[in-house]
Amino acid sequence: MPAITRTFLEIARLVFVLWLVSVLAFLALRLTPGDPAVLLLGPQAGHEDAEALLAQVRTEMGFDQPWIVQYGIWIGDILRGDFGNSSRSGVSVLSLIVNAVPPTLWLVLLSVMVSVPLSIAIGMWAASHRNGAVDRGVRVVTTMSIAIPGVWLGLILIIFFSVNLGVLPSGGYVSPLIDPGGFIRHMILPVATLSVFLTGVLTRFVYAEGSDVLRQDYMRTATAMGIPRRTRIFRYATRNAVLPMITIVGVQIGVLVGNAVLVEAVFGIGGLGQLLLSSVLNRDYQVVQGAVLITTVVVVLVGFLSDMANRLIDPRIAK
Amino acid sequence: MRWLKGVGVARLLLIATGILVLTVALWPELFVTHDPTAVDSDSILQSASWEHPLGTDEAGADVLARLVHATQLEVVIAAGSVIIALVIGVPSGLLAGNSGKLIDGGISSGASAILAFPMVLFAILVVSSFGTTALTLVGIIGFVFAPRVFVLVRAQTKALKEREFVVAARVTGISPRRTMARHVLPNMAGPLFTLIPQLMAEALLIEAGLSFLGLGVQLPDSTWGTILESSKDYYVTSPGYAVAAGLTITIAAGLLMASGELAAESFNPLKKRRQK
């Protein structure tokens, strides 16, 4: 299949998946037992004169219409950038989300920046020193790093570094624009928490790929040609082993965002996680739905782009 | 006793641990004498002692007893969600693997859409509207796991369908349904048994995460996740409480993941380790 046709098909599939994502996000709230108008109004629905308000919400949101019409109205608004307003504060959902994104984005970005080089170094080292003990060591350490609940690891780091040693703040967020030093100090523990998981996942991958690449014929040829070991491993093997990582990181972004939301809760960082959580507690469903939908769409797009980038860069799969 | 050698020490230990965990889940009172719901104002947040090996919680109940008694619900969540994932994923995977482009593409895209959601966020969305009972947790986690089972079963079906023994079964006139049930399905047991413990481990971790956000099961039920959640307010004065709860989850998840890997090796002779 020519590359253009395939790219076109991929994009068509992407659009279809995004559409299904929106349907799922829509249904997740509409399938809820109970009156959606009551849910949307939130605490106000308890007032005595709420009946008029409820009726108004029902017509406004079109709850008296069939589901398919309701979905049409909902998705139409969203495509025009209108995610509705918070039933709590009346602020537009979009602006709430935009304000909550920076801390979460920093967490995810910094974790990727820490984990990628770290996992390449560990993974390639292990692959080039492969034997029974190294093999078992990599497995045990990476399995543990994936098996530790992030929320718990965060707590342990706080107990150790903030409570016992008192060297790092136990939580909170400082904008890098206001105080870069404070920003870094506040980010160290949460980023470390997230990076333990991500480094575990990526190290496994680099180790498997690296072991594979080092067994290839061209590596043996390079050895026979007398190319120094350092050049072989760093220049030849690492490049080939690490390229597919672009896709893996893209796939892991979703998991990472989910973990970031949890880690934010541990460290009291006012990002997307805090917004989601406070909205859930306030029964502010518009905000929950909007935030989950936007995050998911971004995650899907990042995954798609990283896959495309990988194909452009790596001639082995761009056939 | 020669077959024991083939199984290996690691596998035997894991199987024994599995049986032990199931026993703990079924008869927790055999292992601990303290009442997990005890309220005793004289023994609040004590550190470890002979009487309370893991200390006591904010109500004065024995932490070890709470963890042991919570095992049952934890097993229900891990096993229940995987069973739901299998019930949805296996038939749809077989169907997609055997169907033409249209049906296959439709189901596969649906699976991609569910997979696209960051799991924790999707769980928050659904839990926020359906409420948090063990049952909704099992349902949600099972639902988000289903596409993982689906993807595996679909790929296996497609690969196995072309193999000689399946073609032979078809040529001899065995009905397609019987071919699937007797020849295709048993041959994907290996990959499935590799995925199942992995998913169970992830179920424990998701449950812990959701519980930490306050979206776990509600009292009087408790899970390792909700015990961890309640310990988080006391980490300064009694760090041992939080350590015990989290370590339990970590060890359980780690052992499940390890058994998934060992299962992969047992079922795939090519993957058996070269170094002995």
Side-chain angles (χ1 to χ4, degrees):
Chain A
M1 213 187 295
I4 294 184
T5 322
R6 214 186 47 194
T7 312
F8 179 77
L9 279 177
E10 297 266 339
I11 291 175
R13 190 177 151 81
L14 172 77
V15 172
F16 187 55
V17 167
L18 285 177
W19 173 72
L20 281 171
V21 162
S22 78
V23 171
L24 273 173
F26 173 79
L27 288 180
L29 277 199
R30 274 333 124 82
L31 287 178
T32 312
D35 185 348
V38 175
L39 283 182
L40 268 189
L41 257 190
Q44 293 173 35
H47 289 228
E48 310 131 27
D49 51 345
E51 206 35 58
L53 259 176
L54 283 176
Q56 191 194 339
V57 169
R58 277 189 205 112
T59 19
E60 237 171 59
M61 300 300 297
F63 289 141
D64 39 4
Q65 312 266 0
W67 276 21
I68 187 122
V69 178
Q70 291 186 34
Y71 173 77
I73 297 171
W74 179 76
I75 195 76
D77 284 346
I78 282 176
L79 288 176
R80 272 182 272 118
D82 178 8
F83 285 81
N85 295 323
S86 155
S87 62
R88 251 296 154 111
S89 54
V91 182
S92 98
V93 170
L94 199 59
S95 72
L96 280 174
I97 294 168
V98 168
N99 284 326
V101 158
T104 312
L105 196 63
W106 276 118
L107 270 181
V108 171
L109 266 180
L110 290 174
S111 307
V112 171
M113 280 160 62
V114 168
S115 305
V116 167
L118 202 60
S119 56
I120 292 175
I122 303 172
M124 285 313 289
W125 177 85
S128 56
H129 293 80
R130 196 184 155 98
N131 63 42
V134 170
D135 206 57
R136 234 164 291 142
V138 169
R139 277 167 188 246
V140 170
V141 174
T142 55
T143 302
M144 286 325 282
S145 78
I146 299 168
I148 293 181
V151 288
W152 182 62
L153 182 62
L155 269 188
I156 297 295
L157 290 180
I158 292 177
I159 293 175
F160 194 72
F161 287 100
S162 310
V163 179
N164 287 348
L165 296 180
V167 286
L168 287 169
S170 65
Y173 174 75
V174 180
S175 162
L177 301 174
I178 296 169
D179 174 11
F183 167 74
I184 291 171
R185 289 199 320 125
H186 281 86
M187 276 287 153
I188 291 178
L189 290 185
V191 167
T193 309
L194 278 178
S195 300
V196 165
F197 168 81
L198 188 60
T199 307
V201 174
L202 295 180
T203 301
R204 280 186 164 213
F205 176 76
V206 173
Y207 176 64
E209 282 290 307
S211 311
D212 197 44
V213 168
L214 288 171
R215 275 201 298 264
Q216 298 291 319
D217 289 344
Y218 61 79
M219 290 309 296
R220 201 179 43 201
T221 310
T223 315
M225 282 168 69
I227 294 170
R229 182 179 154 87
R230 184 179 284 258
T231 318
R232 276 180 351 240
I233 290 179
F234 284 108
R235 186 152 319 149
Y236 298 174
T238 306
R239 276 194 192 175
N240 281 305
V242 160
L243 258 186
M245 232 173 141
I246 302 173
T247 305
I248 302 293
V249 173
V251 171
Q252 288 297 328
I253 288 290
V255 183
L256 202 56
V257 171
N259 287 350
V261 162
L262 296 176
V263 167
E264 278 175 24
V266 181
F267 290 94
I269 296 172
L272 210 54
Q274 202 98 322
L275 176 69
L276 272 171
L277 204 59
S278 63
S279 311
V280 167
L281 292 178
N282 289 330
R283 316 201 147 249
D284 201 342
Y285 295 101
Q286 287 288 75
V287 182
V288 182
Q289 194 178 34
V292 171
L293 183 64
I294 291 182
T295 317
T296 307
V297 168
V298 171
V299 165
V300 173
L301 289 178
V302 169
F304 179 76
L305 290 178
S306 64
D307 203 32
M308 285 285 140
N310 198 14
R311 273 191 207 168
L312 279 179
I313 300 169
D314 194 338
R316 287 173 297 184
I317 45 175
K319 277 174 268 175
Chain B
M1 279 310 207
R2 181 173 283 164
W3 62 273
L4 275 179
K5 270 195 178 153
V7 181
V9 182
R11 286 178 182 76
L12 280 180
L13 279 177
L14 278 174
I15 293 168
T17 315
I19 294 171
L20 180 70
V21 169
L22 284 180
T23 325
V24 169
L26 284 173
W27 300 285
E29 57 281 351
L30 288 182
F31 296 84
V32 283
T33 47
H34 288 284
D35 176 10
T37 56
V39 178
D40 181 357
S41 55
D42 292 334
S43 59
I44 286 173
L45 295 170
Q46 287 176 353
S47 47
S49 61
W50 280 113
E51 181 65 17
H52 303 287
L54 297 177
T56 56
D57 72 357
E58 68 276 14
D62 182 58
V63 172
L64 180 65
R66 287 195 67 192
L67 288 171
V68 165
H69 279 267
T71 310
Q72 189 168 32
L73 203 50
E74 209 71 40
V75 170
V76 167
I77 291 173
S81 55
V82 170
I83 289 171
I84 290 188
L86 290 173
V87 167
I88 305 175
V90 172
S92 59
L94 285 174
L95 179 67
N98 278 308
S99 305
K101 272 208 174 116
L102 201 63
I103 296 178
D104 180 19
I107 309 180
S108 297
S109 301
S112 314
I114 302 172
L115 277 178
F117 280 94
M119 240 185 288
V120 175
L121 297 196
F122 190 73
I124 291 176
L125 177 68
V126 182
V127 165
S128 72
S129 47
F130 281 85
T132 48
T133 59
L135 207 65
T136 47
L137 278 179
V138 168
I140 295 159
I141 300 175
F143 181 72
V144 292
F145 281 171
R148 307 261 294 273
V149 176
F150 164 82
V151 168
L152 181 92
V153 171
R154 174 180 171 272
Q156 290 285 322
T157 310
K158 282 202 180 273
L160 287 167
K161 218 168 59 170
E162 308 305 327
R163 295 271 291 275
E164 285 88 350
F165 66 92
V166 177
V167 176
R170 199 164 46 214
V171 176
T172 36
I174 295 172
S175 79
R177 188 172 297 179
R178 197 179 152 85
T179 314
M180 282 296 132
R182 300 298 290 274
H183 299 277
V184 174
L185 208 48
N187 274 293
M188 57 178 82
L192 269 179
F193 280 119
T194 309
L195 181 65
I196 287 170
Q198 170 71 29
L199 290 181
M200 290 172 87
E202 287 181 33
L204 297 186
L205 294 175
I206 295 173
E207 191 275 323
L210 286 176
S211 300
F212 197 89
L213 296 180
L215 300 174
V217 297
Q218 309 292 318
L219 286 170
D221 284 340
S222 63
T223 59
W224 298 337
T226 56
I227 296 173
L228 175 62
E229 197 261 333
S230 52
S231 78
K232 77 171 188 235
D233 298 328
Y234 312 102
Y235 65 76
V236 178
T237 47
S238 31
Y241 181 12
V243 170
L247 208 55
T248 312
I249 304 171
T250 309
I251 293 172
L255 287 178
L256 280 168
M257 287 179 184
S259 36
E261 286 191 8
L262 285 177
E265 278 178 21
S266 323
F267 282 102
N268 187 354
L270 297 176
K271 254 192 171 173
K272 282 225 166 108
R273 239 176 282 169
R274 264 153 243 143
Q275 302 91 4
K276 270 281 165 197

